[in-house]
Amino acid sequence: MLAVVFSTVDMTGEHKDKLETLYCKYRRLLFTVIRRIVSTDSDSEDILQNTFIKIAKNIKKIDDVESRETVAFLTIIAKNTAYDFLRRQALIEEVPFEETDGIIADDKAFSELLSNLEYEKIVNCIKSITSPYTEVLYLHFVRDLSVKQIAHILERKPATVKMQLVRGKKLLVKRLSEVLYG
């Protein structure tokens, strides 16, 4: 695991030694903290790795490896990383297209076009659009998430998500028009 962390974060030899010491000393504690929050060992391992990447990025803030403040700092990073994981999972939890309640449109012309088509055809059109537009359209229209929420989930800037939504919507209108008008 440390090899992945070292390859991800550029560190000096002194900081690498400190991180290695922290890893050896606290990995079990942090794994236990994370495991109490998430449901599987594999997710806990992934979160532990992400936790140590965050620790590596903040290694300069750690003076004494043995101090109570260090243990508290590491525990907070582990908990926050686990909670971030859960929030992300809750927001992007896959719901089969067939089980969704409906597509929420945000403008009148688009709404009229959608109202003339069967739900299944709309979903198939969304599925047929290339990435990254499919993800953005699905999260916005099917899951009814805001641009800000989508940006957080996909780890993109809100402006990028807005542009992808505009472009994806144009593609969707084109595809839906083809389905509707042949």
Side-chain angles (χ1 to χ4, degrees):
M1 178 189 305
L2 279 180
V4 173
V5 175
F6 290 146
S7 68
T8 306
V9 181
D10 189 31
M11 301 177 74
T12 65
E14 176 187 331
H15 289 137
K16 283 183 179 182
D17 292 341
K18 188 186 290 185
L19 185 65
E20 195 170 337
T21 302
L22 290 168
Y23 180 79
C24 292
K25 189 163 186 71
Y26 299 114
R27 77 171 181 263
R28 287 190 188 119
L29 170 69
L30 297 179
F31 182 84
T32 304
V33 167
I34 293 166
R35 186 62 177 87
R36 288 182 181 160
I37 296 170
V38 299
S39 58
T40 66
D41 285 345
S42 62
D43 287 341
S44 299
E45 287 290 337
D46 291 343
I47 294 166
L48 183 65
Q49 180 173 323
N50 290 336
T51 298
F52 273 97
I53 290 171
K54 289 179 182 180
I55 292 168
K57 290 178 180 178
N58 292 288
I59 197 75
K60 293 176 183 175
K61 295 179 181 178
I62 300 172
D63 293 324
D64 181 13
V65 174
E66 303 285 331
S67 74
R68 293 171 71 177
E69 290 83 14
T70 297
V71 176
F73 181 66
L74 299 179
T75 303
I76 289 168
I77 292 174
K79 283 181 180 180
N80 288 341
T81 305
Y83 289 132
D84 287 345
F85 171 82
L86 289 178
R87 274 191 294 278
R88 200 171 284 125
Q89 287 301 103
L91 290 175
I92 63 171
E93 178 181 291
E94 283 299 316
V95 175
F97 279 77
E98 297 79 31
E99 294 179 17
T100 55
D101 294 329
I103 295 180
I104 311 299
D106 64 350
D107 68 32
K108 189 175 181 179
F110 196 67
S111 296
E112 288 176 20
L113 185 60
L114 292 180
S115 67
N116 292 327
L117 292 172
E118 296 173 26
Y119 179 73
E120 187 177 311
K121 289 180 183 177
I122 297 168
V123 170
N124 287 334
C125 285
I126 289 175
K127 286 180 180 178
S128 71
I129 294 174
T130 59
S131 184
Y133 307 117
T134 301
E135 299 142 341
V136 173
L137 290 170
Y138 174 77
L139 291 171
H140 184 70
F141 292 114
V142 178
R143 297 297 307 270
D144 194 26
L145 298 178
S146 70
V147 170
K148 187 177 178 181
Q149 290 170 318
I150 296 169
H152 178 73
I153 291 168
L154 298 177
E155 297 178 346
R156 298 178 186 155
K157 294 179 181 177
T160 303
V161 171
K162 281 182 186 178
M163 185 53 67
Q164 289 172 340
L165 192 56
V166 167
R167 290 176 181 162
K169 200 165 148 183
K170 286 179 184 178
L171 289 171
L172 184 57
V173 167
K174 183 179 177 185
R175 293 267 166 85
L176 290 172
S177 295
E178 290 170 1
V179 169
L180 186 61
Y181 304 114

